[in-house]
Amino acid sequence: MDAALVGLMGTSIGATAGFSGAWLAQRSQLRIFREQRSHESEVRWLNEKRELYRDLLMAMYGWHDALVGIWNDEESDNLFEVRSKAITLALEVSLIAKAPARSAVQEAHRGLLNAQPLILPRAQRTSGPEPLNDVRRTLTAMEEALRTELTQAG
């Protein structure tokens, strides 16, 4: 009778250990699967962010260059186009970027908007430093913030 009880206890312990091991293995597999999906999603978003950030930088620098052209009395027919594109892309980036990059984009955007009234009314222009000097600094800071976000995500 003792042998039967020992056998029954051994079988129960073995079954419990087997069930627990299977449960732990399944949990581990599910966690690995979730992490893989999360990583794949981040990589996909990283590629899309890279393209969006590149387009934003090009548009912001284009807006800056158009304003510099107007300041230097050169013809700049594309100010409206590049400004509209830059504003649209800045809004898109502000929806998906992390806080440091988002604030850098907003500061550069604000700098361009503040410099524009000083440049556009040609009759009221005074001599002095180009009003876009600070804007160039904010654009560089924005570029660095976007680059940092992309490298940290990768």
Side-chain angles (χ1 to χ4, degrees):
M1 182 81 167
D2 289 334
L5 286 174
V6 170
L8 183 60
M9 284 180 53
T11 304
S12 299
I13 291 172
T16 303
F19 177 75
S20 298
W23 180 74
L24 288 172
Q26 185 179 18
R27 264 187 65 162
S28 176
Q29 287 176 345
L30 285 173
R31 187 180 75 239
I32 289 170
F33 179 70
R34 276 189 299 239
E35 288 174 2
Q36 285 176 342
R37 285 185 55 193
S38 174
H39 177 72
E40 289 171 1
S41 176
E42 286 178 18
V43 168
R44 181 180 57 86
W45 272 106
L46 181 64
N47 289 334
E48 291 177 8
K49 275 185 173 182
R50 185 177 291 119
E51 293 174 10
L52 179 62
Y53 290 178
R54 180 201 61 220
D55 293 345
L56 173 65
L57 285 169
M58 290 173 58
M60 291 290 239
Y61 279 116
W63 187 5
H64 172 268
D65 293 345
L67 289 174
V68 168
I70 292 171
W71 178 259
N72 293 329
D73 290 326
E74 299 168 1
E75 286 297 319
S76 184
D77 297 335
N78 65 342
L79 175 63
F80 180 75
E81 288 175 29
V82 293
R83 182 181 59 205
S84 297
K85 185 175 181 179
I87 290 171
T88 301
L89 292 171
L91 289 173
E92 285 185 38
V93 167
S94 69
L95 293 174
I96 64 170
K98 294 180 181 164
R102 187 172 46 245
S103 68
V105 169
Q106 289 170 347
E107 185 177 343
H109 182 219
R110 197 174 308 118
L112 284 165
L113 286 175
N114 291 339
Q116 190 169 296
L118 302 173
I119 294 171
L120 289 181
R122 292 183 181 180
Q124 298 175 4
R125 185 180 305 166
T126 60
S127 62
E130 181 182 317
L132 292 166
N133 288 336
D134 288 336
V135 173
R136 198 171 297 121
R137 179 189 53 77
T138 61
L139 286 173
T140 304
M142 179 186 76
E143 184 175 350
E144 186 60 33
L146 294 175
R147 186 175 285 120
T148 300
E149 181 177 326
L150 289 174
T151 56
Q152 287 177 350

